[in-house]
Amino acid sequence: DGGITQSPKYLFRKEGQNVTLSCEQNLNHDAMYWYRQDPGQGLRLIYYSQIVNDFQKGDIAEGYSVSREKKESFPLTVTSAQKNPTAFYLCATRQGTYEQYFGPGTRLTVT
Amino acid sequence: AQSVTQLGSHVSVSEGALVLLRCNYSSSVPPYLFWYVQYPNQGLQLLLKYTTGATLVKGINGFEAEFKKSETSFHLTKPSAHMSDAAEYFCAVSYQGAQKLVFGQGTRLTINP
């Protein structure tokens, strides 16, 4: 069954802890993306990667880090430097020039 | 630079009424245009897209959109709203060779019984 998996669905952390969000795809897509979504707001791009071992900062990369060691995986680490980490995080993939495909999302709550 | 404006952050219609969600874009090159739908606590699902060719595009769930270059618009319509259409809708733009999508702020659609 092809698709994008994000785990877990809900994640809770204490302030000051780093946390890693998982994104795995078996669509064989080259490009992968991380977005952040806050209530009532649109999507903001955090990081994206076009190929393995390469990635670029998006609009709000501060306080986040990523890696792309495998084509299938693009984990996002939310570091303690991120001032307001509580949000809904969406992973997406793209093949070619066209649309992006989205995973189900991870809701992160930091208290 | 590209941008997208969705007029109306919240639209409310009665069940069975016409749904019209507005999207205007700005692009210096021929645009690729997309509409996505998001149900609560879920990811985005592609409704329809325009890249080239026919300017009236049909999507899933009875939605369609028309690309109007002269008006720089890509409005989303559905003739008869259903309760299951209640969701958030996002318009997005890119172009050939682009690595990123530019999203609008979204429109929350409410269906009244």
Side-chain angles (χ1 to χ4, degrees):
Chain A
D1 190 19
I4 304 167
T5 303
Q6 290 187 246
S7 59
K9 180 68 174 175
Y10 298 94
L11 192 53
F12 298 89
R13 282 293 183 271
K14 293 291 187 184
E15 194 172 324
Q17 293 179 336
N18 292 355
V19 58
T20 298
L21 281 60
S22 169
C23 179
E24 303 281 331
Q25 57 111 350
N26 62 5
L27 300 170
N28 200 34
H29 286 179
D30 290 319
M32 297 187 74
Y33 301 79
W34 274 106
Y35 293 91
R36 170 181 173 138
Q37 188 176 27
D38 295 282
Q41 297 191 31
L43 280 71
R44 292 186 288 171
L45 182 63
I46 305 173
Y47 269 99
Y48 63 105
S49 168
Q50 302 298 305
I51 56 173
V52 174
N53 292 323
D54 188 46
F55 47 83
Q56 289 80 40
K57 293 181 179 179
D59 301 318
I60 56 163
E62 184 176 351
Y64 299 97
S65 65
V66 294
S67 62
R68 186 87 185 275
E69 298 177 0
K70 299 186 301 182
K71 187 175 185 178
E72 303 79 20
S73 179
F74 191 41
L76 173 74
T77 297
V78 185
T79 74
S80 57
Q82 168 50 232
K83 295 291 187 284
N84 297 295
T86 294
F88 190 52
Y89 290 88
L90 288 161
C91 177
T93 69
R94 177 180 59 80
Q95 184 70 3
T97 312
Y98 304 121
E99 65 271 21
Q100 293 181 14
Y101 297 86
F102 285 80
T106 291
R107 186 165 299 281
L108 173 65
T109 302
V110 177
T111 58
Chain B
Q2 296 183 305
S3 66
V4 175
T5 301
Q6 291 184 238
L7 188 61
S9 59
H10 194 174
V11 171
S12 182
V13 302
S14 299
E15 191 174 17
L18 171 72
V19 174
L20 171 61
L21 304 182
R22 300 178 186 275
C23 173
N24 287 91
Y25 69 91
S26 172
S27 178
S28 57
V29 297
Y32 292 166
L33 295 157
F34 309 87
W35 274 102
Y36 286 87
V37 60
Q38 184 182 33
Y39 299 100
N41 291 312
Q42 295 186 25
L44 277 67
Q45 180 183 7
L46 182 69
L47 272 178
L48 49 79
K49 66 180 179 184
Y50 168 80
T51 54
T52 59
T55 56
L56 181 63
V57 293
K58 296 184 184 300
I60 61 172
N61 302 339
F63 284 94
E64 63 181 36
E66 186 171 12
F67 169 58
K68 292 187 176 181
K69 184 178 178 180
S70 61
E71 299 177 8
T72 60
S73 69
F74 191 57
H75 301 332
L76 182 71
T77 61
K78 182 174 180 178
S80 177
H82 191 273
M83 295 299 290
S84 61
D85 295 327
E88 185 125 25
Y89 292 79
F90 291 93
C91 182
V93 64
S94 73
Y95 54 89
Q96 187 172 21
Q99 296 181 357
K100 298 184 283 186
L101 283 176
V102 175
F103 286 90
Q105 288 298 100
T107 297
R108 181 166 300 278
L109 176 64
T110 301
I111 311 297
N112 302 313

